[in-house]
Amino acid sequence: MDSVGFDLDMTLADTRAGIAAVYDELALRIGVTIDSAAVVARLGPPLEWELANWLPQDRVPEAAVIFRSLYPSLAVPATTLMPGAREAVEAVREAGGRVIVVTGKNSRDALSTVEFLELEVDEVVGSVFGADKGPALATFGAAAYVGDHVADIEAARAGGAVSVAVATGLYPVGELREHGADVVLGDLTEFAGWFDGWRTPAALV
């Protein structure tokens, strides 16, 4: 059974509009300038890392609390599916596989996003980034991990999974290949075709 892990932001979910709205509201509330367009152009790393680009370190914890308080009402309703996302999840499930979402987003907001998008997944693990995603993938038994960030390639390696990169985030196809992805797709509309071809030889063994 070919179980697969997926990243969330810019892999399954287009969270740019919602996250930009939260950053814009946060900037107003705490009285700082935050370029939300720049923020959403590089989604992936933990919230606190991004906030440190705009605030002194001692203000980051407070800002993170405010951000997370705003997220459910502002960001989740503005989230949409990335092209091919639902079909990618369904391809795994139709083949008898299980699906886990492993993301840097906190577990509460990750789960509410998955539920809002009505994606049928078996598990959601949040607040992990890069190689720290590895244990969740390994424990779940994910044979492949799909993500848009170069750190997701590290995650797949750490979890003993095939790294499937999608060029829907910050990194174009060439850079994802240079960083060592096993497979690079333009977006998730290409996933089902790849997955069927990848799992068929294994099924025949």
Side-chain angles (χ1 to χ4, degrees):
M1 185 168 65
D2 298 310
S3 297
V4 176
F6 290 88
D7 175 49
L8 187 57
D9 290 17
M10 300 311 297
T11 298
L12 290 173
D14 188 343
T15 52
R16 289 173 293 187
I19 288 176
V22 176
Y23 271 102
D24 290 342
E25 178 63 22
L26 174 66
L28 288 174
R29 292 199 182 194
I30 64 177
V32 299
T33 298
I34 299 177
D35 184 347
S36 59
V39 171
V40 299
R42 56 177 181 240
L43 293 178
L47 170 63
E48 287 80 2
W49 294 15
E50 181 59 51
L51 289 171
N53 292 321
W54 309 100
L55 295 164
Q57 193 59 49
D58 63 351
R59 296 195 66 191
V60 167
E62 172 200 4
V65 169
I66 297 171
F67 181 98
R68 291 188 175 111
S69 74
L70 296 169
Y71 200 95
S73 60
L74 292 182
V76 173
T79 301
T80 58
L81 285 166
M82 294 294 288
R86 189 176 308 284
E87 294 79 3
V89 171
E90 290 175 350
V92 178
R93 302 200 67 86
E94 288 170 4
R98 299 167 67 232
V99 175
I100 184 173
V101 173
V102 188
T103 173
K105 190 184 300 300
N106 72 84
S107 296
R108 181 203 67 186
D109 293 337
L111 182 59
S112 61
T113 298
V114 168
E115 290 176 344
F116 176 76
L117 296 174
E118 298 181 334
L119 291 171
E120 188 179 353
V121 309
D122 298 282
E123 189 173 340
V124 176
V125 176
S127 300
V128 284
F129 181 68
D132 289 340
K133 294 181 176 183
L137 295 170
T139 300
F140 188 79
Y145 182 61
V146 187
D148 66 285
H149 199 281
V150 294
D152 295 325
I153 300 170
E154 299 172 10
R157 294 280 179 272
V162 171
S163 170
V164 182
V166 285
T168 49
L170 174 61
Y171 298 93
V173 168
E175 288 190 36
L176 292 167
R177 287 201 180 105
E178 288 172 7
H179 278 85
D182 297 310
V183 179
V184 180
L185 307 175
D187 60 31
L188 283 179
T189 63
E190 302 173 17
F191 176 84
W194 168 80
F195 181 72
D196 185 57
W198 173 67
R199 62 176 294 276
T200 300
L204 295 175
V205 173

